[in-house]
Amino acid sequence: MQYSKTSVILSLLPVTLAQYGYGDSSKASTTVEAAAASTAASSSGPIHTVKVGDGGLTFDPDTLTAAVGDTVEFHFFPATHSVAQSSFAAPCQPLNDTSFFSGGIKTASGENEETFSITVTDSKPIWYYCGFPGHCGAGMAGVINPPADGSKTIEQYQAAAANVSQTVAPSKVQGGTLGPAQAQSSGSSTTSTTSSPSASTTGNAAVEARGAVSWSLFALTGVAALGFGGLIV
């Protein structure tokens, strides 16, 4: 009883492919999990939006809580407003030479396409105001992460600002990012962006998994054919 070389090679080919895992479902699953982990790692953190001058000399909300790593995005409305970092002790004045400042943002109508965003780097209170003349004294001030014990409040800060004779704006734009909005303007709402594996990635995994089954069946068929061929030669 003899086997032809061609029959042996053809019958062993699917066995080899199945052995080395072509279309292995476990490998496909690993690929999807790796893609999901990579996407999750690159996704952005929560974005808190604050309306600047929407319907009056106000920040809306004027008080919010944000975690380290969160982004606070300021959305501007008519006519001209800004966001400048201050201190509780000296409202309507820059905190220091490196404190954030958006510069004056002029808006003709509606909501300006340009926003100013900052990243929260620690849990300390961040006091800020509008640097346009007269706006801070009129109560246009806000705070991020006010003291939890209530020792310093936005109401106290705004009351102190009303007694300031002159608003001082920083000399240059710094400490934040000017650009298009990343979140929809919706008051105190928070937007969190997460991603899941794409449909195409998941689909490819399914196709590869089916491929594994097909090659395995093909391998069994090849072995059976080899045995049958040996009997009739």
Side-chain angles (χ1 to χ4, degrees):
M1 183 170 60
Q2 298 178 343
Y3 298 96
S4 68
K5 293 182 178 179
T6 303
S7 298
V8 173
I9 293 173
L10 291 177
S11 62
L12 291 179
L13 177 60
V15 179
T16 303
L17 290 173
Q19 177 182 357
Y20 284 94
Y22 182 85
D24 188 351
S25 60
S26 63
K27 291 184 178 181
S29 176
T30 301
T31 301
V32 173
E33 290 173 359
S38 176
T39 303
S42 62
S43 62
S44 59
I47 300 175
H48 307 266
T49 61
V50 177
K51 296 179 181 180
V52 182
D54 184 19
L57 301 181
T58 62
F59 289 102
D60 182 20
D62 60 10
T63 303
L64 65 84
T65 300
V68 174
D70 287 3
T71 297
V72 178
E73 189 175 80
F74 296 92
H75 294 239
F76 297 89
F77 292 80
T80 303
H81 300 288
S82 65
V83 180
Q85 187 178 8
S86 183
S87 67
F88 183 82
C92 308
Q93 297 181 31
L95 174 64
N96 51 46
D97 293 338
T98 60
S99 56
F100 66 75
F101 179 51
S102 67
I105 307 296
K106 186 176 182 179
T107 307
S109 62
E111 182 178 340
N112 201 306
E113 294 182 356
E114 189 167 53
T115 67
F116 182 71
S117 61
I118 63 171
T119 300
V120 178
T121 58
D122 56 48
S123 58
K124 297 178 181 179
I126 301 174
W127 304 92
Y128 60 88
Y129 64 101
C130 176
F132 193 83
H135 287 191
C136 179
M140 196 168 183
V143 62
I144 301 168
N145 295 332
D149 61 5
S151 59
K152 299 176 182 178
T153 66
I154 185 59
E155 290 79 15
Q156 294 171 339
Y157 181 76
Q158 291 171 338
N163 296 321
V164 174
S165 60
Q166 182 180 8
T167 298
V168 180
S171 59
K172 60 181 179 180
V173 176
Q174 61 186 8
T177 303
L178 287 169
Q182 300 180 62
Q184 295 297 321
S185 177
S186 55
S188 60
S189 66
T190 300
T191 302
S192 179
T193 305
T194 57
S195 302
S196 57
S198 66
S200 61
T201 302
T202 306
N204 289 338
V207 171
E208 291 179 6
R210 289 195 298 270
V213 177
S214 299
W215 279 113
S216 297
L217 292 175
F218 190 25
L220 292 175
T221 303
V223 172
L226 177 61
F228 181 74
L231 292 175
I232 64 176
V233 173

